[in-house]
Amino acid sequence: MSVRDPGLFTPASVTWQAHGDPMMWVAGIRALYLQALHPRAVRAVVENSDFREDAWGRLRRTADFVGTTTYGTTEAAERAGARVRRIHDTLRATDPDTGRTYRIDEPELLLWVHCAEIDSYVHVLCRSGYPLSDALADRYVAEHRESARLVGLDPAGVPGSRAELAAYFASVRPSLAAGADAREIDDFLRRPGVHPLLLPARALLWPHVARLAYAALPPWAHALYGRPAPPPATVTRRLRLTGAALRTVPARVRWQLPPKHILRATARLGPGSRPDPRRLEP
């Protein structure tokens, strides 16, 4: 394979440009809050994850998967997807209602996790001032039928627009709840365990990120958790202010953070491949 292989998404995609934005971190936390509202999906996390002891390791692994599938070569992305499918194939969980054992790679659960992620990414980016038109936002959702394929879903059954995402959430809402497992995730996200040396940073930065991510959830999610959020206009203003502040940090500085997928991609493909929202076509 050519060293200049652009990968699954390529620099011409909305995904390539958007995933270089720092608000993706806030969106990722929103996705965790949302995912926890599916009782069987969150049970799979609680029973099979070491998130309590290795929270940052889990976040880094998730970021590494997203970075690899976005900016890596086709071979690297396919290899990352195969690794996720192999891991999921070995894991089981216990249904909190029936006590029955189930596979965590059931299509219903994979689809929930996928839709919660993609909805969070596009929602936070748009609401924080990232320049995505309606058409570009729909293109972004459609592009991620490819990431759904990587984790084992049939792309034909995955929402390909924001309207289809909204219809999916409307159909699944009756089965959602904030049970004991969701409460555990909620408590953890508000006060995650960290290395003692990182306690000052957690005290300074994390409360703002966690509160903002929670506030950016849809109102029905706030109702399920039973914790209010500021008025939507206030949340939007805070998302825009946070996005504006983070985007003042030079991209070359932000991209130095491990695992440096963007820097490796631009070294492979040339400087014209650097993510930049100004390259997005309307």
Side-chain angles (χ1 to χ4, degrees), residues 171-194:
S171 71
V172 79
R173 273 176 58 182
S175 64
L176 303 180
D181 292 334
R183 303 290 177 187
E184 182 176 357
I185 298 295
D186 183 22
D187 289 342
F188 171 78
L189 288 174
R190 286 193 278 174
R191 290 173 294 275
V194 297

Side-chain angles (χ1 to χ4, degrees), residues 137-282:
D138 282 340
R139 265 180 57 193
Y140 176 86
V141 175
E143 286 172 4
H144 280 277
R145 284 175 162 164
E146 186 72 357
S147 60
R149 177 189 66 80
L150 286 175
V151 298
L153 285 165
D154 178 358
V158 175
S161 68
R162 287 173 305 150
E164 290 179 7
L165 265 180
Y168 166 78
F169 282 112
S171 71
V172 79
R173 273 176 58 182
S175 64
L176 303 180
D181 292 334
R183 303 290 177 187
E184 182 176 357
I185 298 295
D186 183 22
D187 289 342
F188 171 78
L189 288 174
R190 286 193 278 174
R191 290 173 294 275
V194 297
H195 188 280
L197 292 177
L198 296 177
L199 285 173
R202 183 185 71 173
L204 180 65
L205 298 174
W206 187 263
H208 173 74
V209 173
R211 283 196 300 267
L212 190 58
Y214 177 84
L217 289 168
W220 55 260
H222 298 144
L224 288 175
Y225 274 114
R227 284 200 290 119
T234 300
V235 177
T236 299
R237 184 171 65 253
R238 291 175 181 173
L239 284 166
R240 285 184 169 270
L241 288 172
T242 302
L246 291 177
R247 290 165 191 142
T248 63
V249 179
R252 291 287 299 184
V253 174
R254 290 189 274 109
W255 296 342
Q256 289 293 337
L257 294 173
K260 301 185 180 182
H261 289 295
I262 293 176
L263 293 181
R264 290 204 297 271
T266 56
R268 183 174 83 247
L269 300 173
S273 64
R274 291 174 184 150
D276 186 337
R278 290 172 296 184
R279 294 196 173 104
L280 288 171
E281 297 180 1

Side-chain angles (χ1 to χ4, degrees), residues 101-165:
T101 300
Y102 60 93
R103 298 175 61 96
I104 75 165
D105 59 356
E106 291 180 359
E108 172 197 351
L109 304 183
L110 294 177
L111 183 60
W112 168 253
V113 170
H114 170 82
C115 289
E117 287 181 355
I118 300 309
D119 179 76
S120 293
Y121 296 160
V122 73
H123 180 89
V124 169
L125 286 172
C126 289
R127 203 170 172 189
S128 66
Y130 190 86
L132 281 183
S133 65
D134 290 346
L136 288 173
D138 282 340
R139 265 180 57 193
Y140 176 86
V141 175
E143 286 172 4
H144 280 277
R145 284 175 162 164
E146 186 72 357
S147 60
R149 177 189 66 80
L150 286 175
V151 298
L153 285 165
D154 178 358
V158 175
S161 68
R162 287 173 305 150
E164 290 179 7
L165 265 180

